[in-house]
Amino acid sequence: MARIVMKFGGTSVADLDRIRNVAARVKREVAAGHEVAVVVSAMAGVTNQLVGWCQALSPLHDAREYDTVVATGEQVTSGLVAIALQEMGVEARSWQGWQIRLLTDGAHGKARIDRIEGAELIRRMGTGQVPVIAGFQGIGPDNRVTTLGRGGSDTSAVALAAALLADRCDIYTDVDGVYTTDPRIVAKARKLDKIAYEAMLELASVGAKVLQTRSVELAMKARVRVQVLSSFQDLPGTLVVDEDEIVEHAIVSGIAYSRDEAKVTVRRVPDRPGIAAAIFGPLAGAGVNVDMIVQNVSADGTTDMTFTLGRADLPRARKVLDDNHATIGFVEILDDPDVAKISVVGVGMRSHAGVANTMFRTLAEKGINIQVISTSEIKVSVLIGAEYTELAVRALHTAYGLDAG
Ligand code: ASP
Ligand code: MG
């Protein structure tokens, strides 16, 4: 007998038939003798609509009222799944964040979980009852509903798995696991049986949108075994686990891409102490998240500073730089929104040399120019022209021996 948290994403609860399908899956685990807690997302499309309504009324709406509105999507599904379970003869009860007491900080719209009072849920699971928990939401220090940021019900599920001392957290979604790369781009992409937390974290943060990044961070910290699997098929998914559990290590486990980037070059700034702070301080102050940075050599006492950021932040970044022209002292600013970031990720890189070189050589052979490079212990990222995204991902997938046979 195990204790399992089963989390169902928006497409898995998109209509009443799918909700019945979810209930049947839960019933099967209960019948097998497991203690089960269910975490649900809003029905597909619902959160987008709720967010849209808030924005339509007021672009700068009050974040507390935004949370009041968007948290309702999960309230609906928690009740519906509980009803479907009861209809199948499974004892079930819905729970909102405030009822459990899933306590968060006060950052409305992107709150972080501080603590979960799990004792009552554990007690009820012990009597055979299935708690059906509204994901994505909690309660803040102001005693009001908070939400955890888009995709946050993954984080709810992992946090609950930790608090309830679950043996596993199964994340049911519309894909059947974590792939070596996006199967829509590379037909030969392979599903991974297992992936290490660290590698999953890098993949999630560089654009593989299977799990919310924060949920992986939390799983790694609390050592929660996570499984990503499809609610539409009966297949084992991908286990996200500790490195030690993985016997056979591929050097590279996946290739991710992101087209949401833009590149900015601040041309001919004086090369003096404090110039980076003069540029990046005001950007950070304006909430602009900068990713890759290169500073070029200076020949004449000036230098060029190139960096990347989310494309949506480009107009704001340009304004901040223009506003600070006097203190930065640049000659001009160039920007390029038509770029993509390609990342090669794998924990095996720690012990193998030459991974970056394989990447550079492969891209060179395809005539793809690399604009910016950044590396971490288990990741190499390059910035290239957006039009080469597919070509680069396919070539790299082959070069690292990831293609399915
Ligand atoms: N319903 C929320 C969203 O769409 C939370 C989630 O699905 O994880 O972002
Ligand atoms: Mg999701």
Side-chain angles (χ1 to χ4, degrees):
M1 193 214 80
R3 186 177 292 163
I4 307 169
V5 170
M6 300 172 78
K7 183 260 169 176
F8 295 93
T11 49
S12 305
V13 292
D15 57 40
L16 296 185
D17 277 338
R18 290 188 179 179
I19 285 178
R20 285 189 199 98
N21 170 55
V22 160
R25 275 185 185 271
V26 173
K27 181 174 178 167
R28 227 190 298 159
E29 299 292 354
V30 173
H34 301 311
E35 285 185 10
V36 179
V38 176
V39 177
V40 289
S41 286
M43 294 163 94
V46 166
T47 309
N48 285 345
Q49 181 173 56
L50 296 169
V51 171
W53 284 341
C54 295
Q55 273 161 359
L57 280 176
S58 162
L60 294 174
H61 47 261
D62 184 310
R64 283 158 296 197
E65 301 313 337
Y66 165 94
D67 279 346
T68 301
V69 174
V70 300
T72 58
E74 275 73 10
Q75 173 157 347
V76 171
T77 35
S78 64
L80 290 175
V81 170
I83 291 172
L85 281 167
Q86 291 170 359
E87 190 61 20
M88 287 178 192
V90 178
E91 207 192 318
R93 185 60 64 209
S94 67
W95 292 82
Q96 311 309 302
W98 63 269
Q99 289 168 312
I100 299 166
R101 290 189 65 81
L102 187 151
L103 301 154
T104 73
D105 66 13
H108 282 278
K110 49 175 191 306
R112 282 183 176 268
I113 300 173
D114 282 336
R115 190 161 54 87
I116 297 178
E117 293 171 1
E120 179 61 12
L121 294 181
I122 291 175
R123 189 188 69 74
R124 291 192 186 218
M125 286 163 82
T127 71
Q129 199 181 88
V130 175
V132 185
I133 298 154
F136 183 50
Q137 56 163 272
I139 180 164
D142 55 0
N143 210 29
R144 304 197 66 93
V145 178
T146 51
T147 62
L148 308 179
R150 295 308 305 270
S153 53
D154 292 337
T155 300
S156 307
V158 171
L160 280 154
L164 301 176
L165 309 171
D167 299 287
R168 209 174 62 229
C169 181
D170 285 344
I171 309 261
Y172 287 86
T173 175
D174 49 2
V175 294
D176 58 0
V178 180
Y179 278 73
T180 48
T181 194
D182 187 341
R184 288 168 303 184
I185 287 194
V186 181
K188 289 182 170 171
R190 269 188 300 117
K191 189 170 88 181
L192 297 162
D193 296 330
K194 287 186 179 174
I195 184 167
Y197 293 120
E198 287 84 349
M200 189 64 231
L201 191 56
E202 291 281 18
L203 280 180
S205 66
V206 292
K209 295 188 174 76
V210 206
L211 292 173
Q212 196 200 32
T213 308
R214 226 187 247 183
S215 73
V216 186
E217 256 164 33
L218 192 59
M220 183 161 98
K221 212 170 83 195
R223 290 293 181 246
V224 174
R225 293 165 59 81
V226 172
Q227 182 178 205
V228 177
L229 70 175
S230 164
S231 58
F232 306 112
Q233 287 169 306
D234 274 311
L235 291 172
T238 300
L239 273 174
V240 188
V241 291
D242 200 276
E243 242 179 278
D244 303 344
E245 268 197 56
I246 303 174
V247 192
E248 221 180 298
H249 273 298
I251 298 169
V252 167
S253 33
I255 296 165
Y257 66 92
S258 161
R259 291 189 173 110
D260 307 328
E261 322 275 317
K263 182 180 76 168
V264 173
T265 300
V266 188
R267 290 263 298 131
R268 307 200 58 199
V269 292
D271 192 11
R272 58 167 169 77
I275 189 65
I279 294 174
F280 297 111
L283 287 170
V288 173
N289 231 324
V290 168
D291 179 22
M292 309 161 110
I293 301 177
V294 243
Q295 181 184 334
N296 296 333
V297 288
S298 62
D300 57 355
T302 74
T303 183
D304 293 348
M305 195 80 86
T306 297
F307 60 91
T308 66
L309 72 177
R311 192 176 302 159
D313 284 340
L314 188 53
R316 196 147 37 109
R318 284 213 64 135
K319 182 171 187 313
V320 169
L321 293 171
D322 284 335
D323 289 349
N324 288 275
H325 187 203
T327 44
I328 303 172
F330 54 83
V331 170
E332 63 175 334
I333 292 176
L334 307 175
D335 65 48
D336 182 1
D338 297 317
V339 291
K341 184 170 73 171
I342 314 289
S343 305
V344 168
V345 174
V347 291
M349 281 185 209
R350 285 202 199 103
S351 46
H352 283 80
V355 173
N357 192 45
T358 300
M359 185 176 203
F360 304 152
R361 195 173 22 80
T362 305
L363 296 175
E365 279 163 11
K366 296 288 175 194
I368 300 171
N369 187 38
I370 298 172
Q371 304 178 12
V372 187
I373 302 169
S374 73
T375 64
S376 80
E377 209 188 359
I378 64 164
K379 180 184 74 179
V380 186
S381 299
V382 296
L383 198 74
I384 61 172
E387 66 272 33
Y388 298 115
T389 308
E390 278 95 352
L391 179 63
V393 171
R394 281 196 203 109
L396 292 168
H397 199 264
T398 305
Y400 289 106
L402 296 173
D403 288 352

